[in-house]
Each structure stands twice: as C-alpha cells, then as structure tokens.
Amino acid sequence: MTFPPSAPPLTDVKRVLGVFAHPDDADFGAGGTVARWVAEGLEVSYLLVTRGDSGGFDDTPRDQMPLLREAEQRAAAAEVGVAEVEFLDGYRDGYLTPTIELRRDITRAIRRFRPDRILTTSPLRRWERIAGPSHPDHLAVGEATTCAVYPDARNPFAFPELGADGLEPWVVREVWYSGGPNPDHVVDVTDTFDVKLAALARHATQTRHLDDLRRVLRSRMELLARDAGLPEGHLAEAFTIIHTA
Ligand SMILES: [Zn+2]
C-alpha cells in the first residue's frame, strides 16, 4: 500500500494547521517548509497530541519531560514563525491509536482553526526505514487526522457536541503528509535550512546529544534535492500531497 502521485499544491491557501504526535515532529519533518510558508504570508498553527513525555536521552526527571518539551515546542514554533501552538490533554506519548476521541479532538481543532491545508505525519508505514518516521504514534496521528479531515470535520452530523460549542463544519481541501513512503513533492528549503536548525536546537532534550545534526540533516536533504533535480548543493524536504475536496 502506498500513496498515489502527489496532487499539485493549492495556490490559494491562507491557513495551515500542523497536527503532530510529539514536540519536534514538525521541525524534523517540515521545519524548512513551514518557515517558507510563513515567509510567504501563510498563517500556520500547530496542534500537538502529546507533550512527548516518553522522549529524552538523559537522566532528566521524567515528570519534568512534558513541561520541558512543551516549552521547547513553543520556542521552536516561534523560530519558524508559527502563530499558535495548542496541546491536547489526556494522551500519552507511545500510547496513541486513531480512536474516536482523538478524531473528535482533532476535528474540534480543525473547526476552530479552519485551515485550507493540513500538515501531518503519514498514516502509511515506510517499511524500508521503520525507525523515526514510522513511529506508531506518527501513524496513528496521520490516520486520525485523515479521518478528521474526511468525514468528521465537514459532516454537520458528526460529533454533535461540537456543534453545541458553536463550531461549524469545515472542509480542509488539502493534506500534506511527511515521513511516508516515496514522498514525491519536494520543497526547496535551502534558504530556510538555518531556521530549521535553530528550531531543532530549541528541542534540547531531543537534539543536544546529536553532535553532527547539521551534517546528517544536510546530507539527507541534499540527496532529496538531487533526486528531485534541484541544483547541486540545494536542500529539500519531501511530502505527499492529497486533495480532499
Ligand atoms: Zn515523533
């Protein structure tokens, strides 16, 4: 199972909502692209399902981790120019599945932010590289978000309790998936690579032990750019784009 070829990106997008399982997912997968969108005038917000309470690589007290990582994500979002960051409560890092409750919480955020475009992680596993992008939480959030885009957010009869909150149905017209198999829509992020790195540096609990993060990211992103036919030395992030309307 894989994605169809990407649709061309919509040209009249004003608002984007990024939906992610953990602090740092947005910045690792799409930080350069988000910084570009903000520079182009798009309004970008994030919805985080967890505070990454199972993350970290040292002896930081475990009860501190969610507090640290929420602050890190807010600081990283400020680096790339993301306007608003909302965290859901009640979900644990490592325990996510695409439940009806998660679909309802994402639907609530979609109806509140009213995005034209959603950015999220792929619900499809990348079998050739199961560590990282194919973390089960990423797959679960990708699946729950896709279900929230269609049918939940646009169906006036889904989750009637949201209607009681005054949240009207909303049609998200486009979804960008990161971390999936064979991503074929490449964004040239050469000019925003340093912003992406600055955002990743804010995720200190996740990145301070990585001495060669710049070099590793550069070589991976150069390869993506080269495979897409971009000029030598350019850097890229890659996605799959689906139209949903
Ligand atoms: Zn993650």
Side-chain angles (χ1 to χ4, degrees):
M1 186 163 53
T2 189
F3 287 117
S6 281
L10 296 176
T11 55
D12 59 345
V13 170
K14 293 187 173 63
R15 283 185 307 278
V16 182
L17 177 64
V19 186
F20 295 97
H22 316 120
D24 82 11
D25 293 346
D27 301 295
F28 269 112
T33 299
V34 169
R36 246 191 89 160
W37 288 343
V38 171
E40 289 166 1
L42 304 194
E43 183 190 334
V44 185
S45 302
Y46 289 159
L47 177 72
L48 273 293
V49 176
T50 80
R51 290 172 175 77
D53 42 285
S54 298
F57 295 90
D58 56 26
D59 55 3
T60 302
R62 299 311 305 171
D63 60 345
Q64 290 298 306
M65 194 53 73
L67 304 171
L68 288 169
R69 296 199 67 190
E70 177 175 345
E72 288 174 352
Q73 181 61 86
R74 292 188 186 283
E79 292 283 357
V80 297
V82 164
E84 191 174 341
V85 185
E86 179 182 327
F87 287 80
L88 294 179
D89 291 311
Y91 296 99
R92 283 179 70 185
D93 181 354
Y95 288 69
L96 299 184
T97 54
T99 59
I100 292 293
E101 289 73 22
L102 182 53
R103 285 168 53 177
R104 185 190 55 218
D105 285 343
I106 296 169
T107 296
R108 182 186 290 112
I110 288 172
R111 291 188 184 179
R112 193 161 76 76
F113 287 105
R114 301 163 80 85
D116 308 295
R117 170 183 295 161
I118 289 262
L119 168 66
T120 190
T121 43
S122 169
L124 300 182
R125 187 184 289 279
R126 244 174 98 176
W127 285 106
E128 77 278 15
R129 186 158 169 261
I130 97 160
S134 297
H135 188 297
D137 284 357
H138 301 171
L139 305 178
V141 167
E143 178 64 22
T145 301
T146 305
C147 297
V149 167
Y150 178 82
D152 303 339
R154 67 185 64 179
N155 180 358
F157 305 108
F159 305 126
E161 63 272 33
L162 298 183
D165 292 342
L167 294 170
E168 299 291 329
W170 182 255
V171 177
V172 179
R173 293 177 292 143
E174 187 182 74
V175 182
W176 288 46
Y177 293 107
S178 74
N182 307 314
D184 63 346
H185 181 82
V186 163
V187 178
D188 187 332
V189 296
T190 313
D191 294 340
T192 52
F193 179 67
D194 285 337
V195 181
K196 176 186 176 98
L197 269 182
L200 285 168
R202 295 291 194 162
H203 295 284
T205 59
Q206 309 307 300
T207 58
R208 69 182 156 220
H209 65 295
L210 303 171
D211 298 330
D212 56 352
L213 180 61
R214 169 181 280 271
R215 187 186 58 75
V216 170
L217 277 182
R218 254 203 106 83
S219 65
R220 193 183 301 162
M221 293 167 70
E222 263 177 4
L223 204 60
L224 277 174
R226 188 178 316 145
D227 287 351
L230 295 177
E232 191 64 31
H234 278 233
L235 304 171
E237 291 171 340
F239 304 88
T240 297
I241 304 174
I242 304 286
H243 288 175
T244 74

